[in-house]
Amino acid sequence: MLNDENATPRPGRPVGHGPAERPAPQFRLDSTEFAADPHRAYAAMRGRGPLVPIELAPGVPATLVIGYQAAMQILGDEARFPADPRRWERNAPADCPVTPMLGYRQNALRTAGVEHTRYRRTLSDALDTVNLHSVHHAAARAAEGLINSFCEAGAADLRMDYAFPLTFRVLSELMGFPEEAASAAYQGMAAMLEGVGAEEGQQRFIEALLGVVEQKRERPGDDLTSRLLAHPEGLDPMEMVNQAALLFSAGTEPTCNLILNALLLLMADEQYGGDVLSGAMDTRDAIDEVLFEDPPLANFCMTYPRQPQLVGDVWLPADQPVVISLAACNNDPNVVGGDRKGNRSHLAWGVGPHACPAQPLAQTITRQAIDLLLDALPDIRPKVPAQQLRWRTGQFHRALVALPVVFPACPPMRLT
């Protein structure tokens, strides 16, 4: 490893993208082909080793980590691999479509060192106040109302009729967001994730959250936004917006997609679906299988080395994003093997100082959403074969466009 920015790098293979280095990367993560079958792309990458040069967008080089051990090394070493992107951002193209996702934020995700510790403390302290029993009941109330809104029809799109509104309602309630502000924030966040109108989406997102923060400053309530405002660290308005943005964005879109990906597994895979319905397997085991195979944030946990860093026999360039492919690392042939039931060694929640602090919250919402839907509609199945379902493009997420289902129609019921 290097400790001196002026030190001469030891011999090793470059993974950079300069003119004297390796050929231009062959892999793009923002294509419809990648979205349709990312595991095929990961398999094609493996011939290049655990560190692969990619483009996150045209002219935006990065390194994708597809090896489990390399990922563990990088995620556990904040000194060499900080999550602060400011040096990269200064040299990024002015119209870079991924800057809204990768750029600097005053929150626990996009900072390092003392700054990260401060934001992480405020976030963790606020989350520690969340009563998971209350979340369980909030998710149940939302699930019951949504299921009863479509159960008589015998068909639904589980994305827009169930998973999205459920997570949206529960997180909006937890955060204390009025419906209009929450809707504007979500639309902005979705644009950032998909890279379409990302800059405008980012502005819409910030404006919506600024309005909520100001409302809560004047009229605090029993919600996470108010608790962040009352924290002894004394966050300023933009720090508050960035912390609230992280909580809301991490709680809605990824949780929604985790619910959908798990439901698809349970409906399309007879072994998993049958075992969960019969009680032979806990829902959490099915969720963990999805977190191994198709985590909702498939490529994430970005770091930005400030100087060239040697990982194995490969030099990673300075001031260029290093993106962990959580999906590829989880399925690294060098570590995968045997029955994964009860195995929670996947990287879907991150590892190290930036690991997700809201795992219990997301797990509670996801399990409740799945259990209540399958209890109410045990014969539910996809309307089309799983291979015909479409996946949303985007470098970072694994997200279905829709999940149309059919089931025997039934009258509204009491589920809780």
Side-chain angles (χ1 to χ4, degrees):
M1 75 181 65
L2 289 178
N3 294 313
D4 180 358
E5 293 196 14
N6 298 314
T8 301
R10 298 199 305 272
R13 294 187 294 115
V15 76
H17 305 268
E21 296 165 342
R22 298 170 65 167
Q26 300 176 358
F27 302 104
R28 289 274 302 275
L29 306 189
D30 58 344
S31 67
T32 55
E33 293 79 11
F34 178 80
D37 193 356
H39 288 287
R40 181 179 180 182
Y42 300 143
M45 293 178 188
R46 298 215 183 268
R48 295 197 175 196
L51 303 159
V52 182
I54 61 166
E55 283 191 332
L56 288 171
V60 185
T63 297
L64 190 69
V65 182
I66 63 171
Y68 186 93
Q69 295 300 336
M72 292 292 288
Q73 178 182 344
I74 290 167
L75 292 173
D77 190 349
E78 189 181 31
R80 295 172 63 208
F81 296 95
D84 186 334
R86 279 175 284 190
R87 287 175 42 148
W88 166 79
E89 195 171 0
R90 283 198 292 268
N91 297 313
D95 59 349
C96 177
V98 292
T99 297
M101 278 296 294
L102 271 65
Y104 173 69
R105 295 284 182 272
Q106 292 173 296
N107 65 28
L109 189 63
R110 291 284 175 267
T111 52
V114 174
E115 191 178 16
H116 166 258
T117 300
R118 177 171 179 255
Y119 293 138
R120 177 81 178 201
R121 183 184 304 117
T122 63
L123 199 64
S124 297
D125 289 349
L127 286 168
D128 284 346
T129 68
V130 173
N131 185 324
L132 292 179
H133 292 292
S134 297
V135 174
H136 182 91
H137 291 305
R141 289 195 304 272
E144 181 177 287
L146 291 165
I147 292 168
N148 284 336
S149 73
F150 58 72
C151 63
E152 294 178 286
D157 167 18
L158 290 185
R159 174 173 173 78
M160 295 310 298
D161 295 334
Y162 189 63
F164 163 65
L166 187 150
T167 54
F168 182 82
R169 290 179 190 179
V170 175
L171 264 294
S172 297
E173 181 180 325
L174 278 171
M175 296 295 298
F177 285 6
E179 184 175 346
E180 185 176 345
S183 179
Y186 178 83
Q187 290 167 12
M189 178 187 60
M192 291 162 62
L193 271 169
E194 295 183 15
V196 179
E199 194 165 330
E200 295 83 356
Q202 175 181 237
Q203 189 59 35
R204 191 181 316 132
F205 190 46
I206 291 172
E207 288 175 357
L209 296 185
L210 269 173
V212 173
V213 168
E214 289 310 308
Q215 288 177 30
K216 293 297 176 183
R217 197 180 299 278
E218 295 175 8
R219 298 184 299 278
D222 182 18
D223 53 67
L224 284 171
T225 307
S226 298
R227 288 171 202 144
L228 286 170
L229 277 166
H231 196 278
E233 289 288 352
L235 300 177
D236 68 31
M238 282 311 299
E239 288 178 319
M240 268 298 309
V241 165
N242 279 288
Q243 293 292 84
L246 177 57
L247 275 173
F248 185 69
S249 60
T252 48
E253 182 76 5
T255 305
C256 168
N257 293 327
L258 178 56
I259 293 169
L260 290 171
N261 296 355
L263 284 170
L264 177 59
L265 172 70
L266 290 167
M267 291 186 294
D269 188 301
E270 291 184 5
Q271 177 183 352
Y272 274 94
D275 284 353
V276 168
L277 284 173
S278 69
M281 180 192 296
D282 189 90
T283 306
R284 182 169 181 182
D285 290 324
I287 294 170
D288 279 317
E289 176 59 25
V290 169
L291 291 171
F292 268 110
E293 187 72 18
D294 275 319
L297 285 174
N299 305 294
F300 211 63
C301 300
M302 283 71 80
T303 65
Y304 306 81
R306 297 190 179 107
Q307 60 199 55
Q309 296 291 353
L310 185 63
V311 177
D313 65 345
V314 176
W315 283 103
L316 299 182
D319 301 322
Q320 196 176 97
V322 176
V323 182
I324 307 296
S325 178
L326 306 169
C329 291
N330 288 343
N331 294 282
D332 181 350
N334 292 318
V335 297
V336 170
D339 187 352
R340 294 202 289 211
K341 290 178 186 174
N343 183 344
R344 301 198 168 98
S345 63
H346 56 74
L347 305 182
W349 303 111
V351 173
H354 289 271
C356 175
Q359 296 177 41
L361 175 61
Q363 287 274 11
T364 298
I365 296 170
T366 301
R367 292 181 69 172
Q368 186 74 317
I370 292 170
D371 286 343
L372 287 178
L373 181 72
L374 296 182
D375 284 349
L377 305 170
D379 296 318
I380 194 168
R381 67 183 191 278
K383 187 176 181 180
V384 300
Q387 298 85 348
Q388 295 180 20
L389 294 169
R390 292 188 301 122
W391 297 85
R392 292 156 59 194
T393 57
Q395 301 92 330
F396 309 106
H397 60 190
R398 182 64 169 155
L400 285 162
V401 172
L403 183 51
V405 294
V406 293
F407 48 86
C410 61
M413 62 201 88
R414 179 86 178 186
L415 303 177
T416 58

PDB file of all heavy atoms in Angstrom, residues 63-74:
ATOM      1  N   THR A  63     -13.754   2.056 -11.545  1.00  0.00           N
ATOM      2  CA  THR A  63     -13.376   0.658 -11.363  1.00  0.00           C
ATOM      3  C   THR A  63     -14.514  -0.057 -10.660  1.00  0.00           C
ATOM      4  O   THR A  63     -15.018   0.426  -9.637  1.00  0.00           O
ATOM      5  CB  THR A  63     -12.090   0.537 -10.529  1.00  0.00           C
ATOM      6  OG1 THR A  63     -11.018   1.154 -11.225  1.00  0.00           O
ATOM      7  CG2 THR A  63     -11.751  -0.926 -10.276  1.00  0.00           C
ATOM      8  N   LEU A  64     -14.922  -1.184 -11.212  1.00  0.00           N
ATOM      9  CA  LEU A  64     -15.956  -2.002 -10.590  1.00  0.00           C
ATOM     10  C   LEU A  64     -15.289  -3.177  -9.892  1.00  0.00           C
ATOM     11  O   LEU A  64     -14.527  -3.926 -10.500  1.00  0.00           O
ATOM     12  CB  LEU A  64     -16.955  -2.516 -11.637  1.00  0.00           C
ATOM     13  CG  LEU A  64     -18.215  -3.180 -11.069  1.00  0.00           C
ATOM     14  CD1 LEU A  64     -19.110  -2.141 -10.394  1.00  0.00           C
ATOM     15  CD2 LEU A  64     -18.988  -3.904 -12.170  1.00  0.00           C
ATOM     16  N   VAL A  65     -15.571  -3.328  -8.601  1.00  0.00           N
ATOM     17  CA  VAL A  65     -15.004  -4.414  -7.815  1.00  0.00           C
ATOM     18  C   VAL A  65     -15.979  -5.580  -7.858  1.00  0.00           C
ATOM     19  O   VAL A  65     -17.109  -5.469  -7.382  1.00  0.00           O
ATOM     20  CB  VAL A  65     -14.755  -3.971  -6.360  1.00  0.00           C
ATOM     21  CG1 VAL A  65     -14.118  -5.106  -5.554  1.00  0.00           C
ATOM     22  CG2 VAL A  65     -13.871  -2.734  -6.323  1.00  0.00           C
ATOM     23  N   ILE A  66     -15.536  -6.713  -8.428  1.00  0.00           N
ATOM     24  CA  ILE A  66     -16.419  -7.871  -8.549  1.00  0.00           C
ATOM     25  C   ILE A  66     -15.908  -9.062  -7.739  1.00  0.00           C
ATOM     26  O   ILE A  66     -16.522 -10.127  -7.768  1.00  0.00           O
ATOM     27  CB  ILE A  66     -16.615  -8.276 -10.026  1.00  0.00           C
ATOM     28  CG1 ILE A  66     -15.285  -8.703 -10.662  1.00  0.00           C
ATOM     29  CG2 ILE A  66     -17.262  -7.148 -10.812  1.00  0.00           C
ATOM     30  CD1 ILE A  66     -15.453  -9.324 -12.045  1.00  0.00           C
ATOM     31  N   GLY A  67     -14.812  -8.884  -6.999  1.00  0.00           N
ATOM     32  CA  GLY A  67     -14.272  -9.937  -6.157  1.00  0.00           C
ATOM     33  C   GLY A  67     -14.584  -9.694  -4.695  1.00  0.00           C
ATOM     34  O   GLY A  67     -14.383  -8.588  -4.178  1.00  0.00           O
ATOM     35  N   TYR A  68     -15.081 -10.711  -4.005  1.00  0.00           N
ATOM     36  CA  TYR A  68     -15.533 -10.571  -2.615  1.00  0.00           C
ATOM     37  C   TYR A  68     -14.392 -10.127  -1.701  1.00  0.00           C
ATOM     38  O   TYR A  68     -14.559  -9.191  -0.902  1.00  0.00           O
ATOM     39  CB  TYR A  68     -16.109 -11.901  -2.144  1.00  0.00           C
ATOM     40  CG  TYR A  68     -16.751 -11.879  -0.778  1.00  0.00           C
ATOM     41  CD1 TYR A  68     -18.120 -11.651  -0.642  1.00  0.00           C
ATOM     42  CD2 TYR A  68     -16.000 -12.102   0.376  1.00  0.00           C
ATOM     43  CE1 TYR A  68     -18.718 -11.650   0.618  1.00  0.00           C
ATOM     44  CE2 TYR A  68     -16.583 -12.102   1.630  1.00  0.00           C
ATOM     45  CZ  TYR A  68     -17.945 -11.869   1.746  1.00  0.00           C
ATOM     46  OH  TYR A  68     -18.523 -11.859   2.987  1.00  0.00           O
ATOM     47  N   GLN A  69     -13.247 -10.769  -1.793  1.00  0.00           N
ATOM     48  CA  GLN A  69     -12.144 -10.433  -0.889  1.00  0.00           C
ATOM     49  C   GLN A  69     -11.616  -9.036  -1.149  1.00  0.00           C
ATOM     50  O   GLN A  69     -11.286  -8.301  -0.205  1.00  0.00           O
ATOM     51  CB  GLN A  69     -11.017 -11.472  -1.027  1.00  0.00           C
ATOM     52  CG  GLN A  69     -11.407 -12.883  -0.592  1.00  0.00           C
ATOM     53  CD  GLN A  69     -11.843 -12.953   0.876  1.00  0.00           C
ATOM     54  OE1 GLN A  69     -11.464 -12.113   1.695  1.00  0.00           O
ATOM     55  NE2 GLN A  69     -12.660 -13.940   1.209  1.00  0.00           N
ATOM     56  N   ALA A  70     -11.538  -8.643  -2.407  1.00  0.00           N
ATOM     57  CA  ALA A  70     -11.107  -7.282  -2.728  1.00  0.00           C
ATOM     58  C   ALA A  70     -12.085  -6.262  -2.164  1.00  0.00           C
ATOM     59  O   ALA A  70     -11.691  -5.210  -1.638  1.00  0.00           O
ATOM     60  CB  ALA A  70     -10.971  -7.116  -4.239  1.00  0.00           C
ATOM     61  N   ALA A  71     -13.375  -6.557  -2.254  1.00  0.00           N
ATOM     62  CA  ALA A  71     -14.387  -5.655  -1.705  1.00  0.00           C
ATOM     63  C   ALA A  71     -14.237  -5.515  -0.198  1.00  0.00           C
ATOM     64  O   ALA A  71     -14.321  -4.401   0.348  1.00  0.00           O
ATOM     65  CB  ALA A  71     -15.785  -6.157  -2.054  1.00  0.00           C
ATOM     66  N   MET A  72     -14.028  -6.638   0.500  1.00  0.00           N
ATOM     67  CA  MET A  72     -13.857  -6.585   1.949  1.00  0.00           C
ATOM     68  C   MET A  72     -12.636  -5.748   2.323  1.00  0.00           C
ATOM     69  O   MET A  72     -12.669  -4.968   3.287  1.00  0.00           O
ATOM     70  CB  MET A  72     -13.711  -7.999   2.506  1.00  0.00           C
ATOM     71  CG  MET A  72     -14.978  -8.847   2.411  1.00  0.00           C
ATOM     72  SD  MET A  72     -16.305  -8.250   3.489  1.00  0.00           S
ATOM     73  CE  MET A  72     -15.656  -8.715   5.091  1.00  0.00           C
ATOM     74  N   GLN A  73     -11.573  -5.878   1.562  1.00  0.00           N
ATOM     75  CA  GLN A  73     -10.366  -5.103   1.831  1.00  0.00           C
ATOM     76  C   GLN A  73     -10.631  -3.606   1.662  1.00  0.00           C
ATOM     77  O   GLN A  73     -10.235  -2.791   2.501  1.00  0.00           O
ATOM     78  CB  GLN A  73      -9.246  -5.543   0.879  1.00  0.00           C
ATOM     79  CG  GLN A  73      -7.952  -4.756   1.045  1.00  0.00           C
ATOM     80  CD  GLN A  73      -6.890  -5.189   0.041  1.00  0.00           C
ATOM     81  OE1 GLN A  73      -7.007  -6.254  -0.579  1.00  0.00           O
ATOM     82  NE2 GLN A  73      -5.866  -4.376  -0.132  1.00  0.00           N
ATOM     83  N   ILE A  74     -11.310  -3.249   0.601  1.00  0.00           N
ATOM     84  CA  ILE A  74     -11.562  -1.837   0.305  1.00  0.00           C
ATOM     85  C   ILE A  74     -12.559  -1.235   1.294  1.00  0.00           C
ATOM     86  O   ILE A  74     -12.339  -0.142   1.830  1.00  0.00           O
ATOM     87  CB  ILE A  74     -12.067  -1.693  -1.148  1.00  0.00           C
ATOM     88  CG1 ILE A  74     -10.920  -2.001  -2.124  1.00  0.00           C
ATOM     89  CG2 ILE A  74     -12.647  -0.312  -1.404  1.00  0.00           C
ATOM     90  CD1 ILE A  74     -11.358  -2.197  -3.555  1.00  0.00           C
TER      91      ILE A  74
END
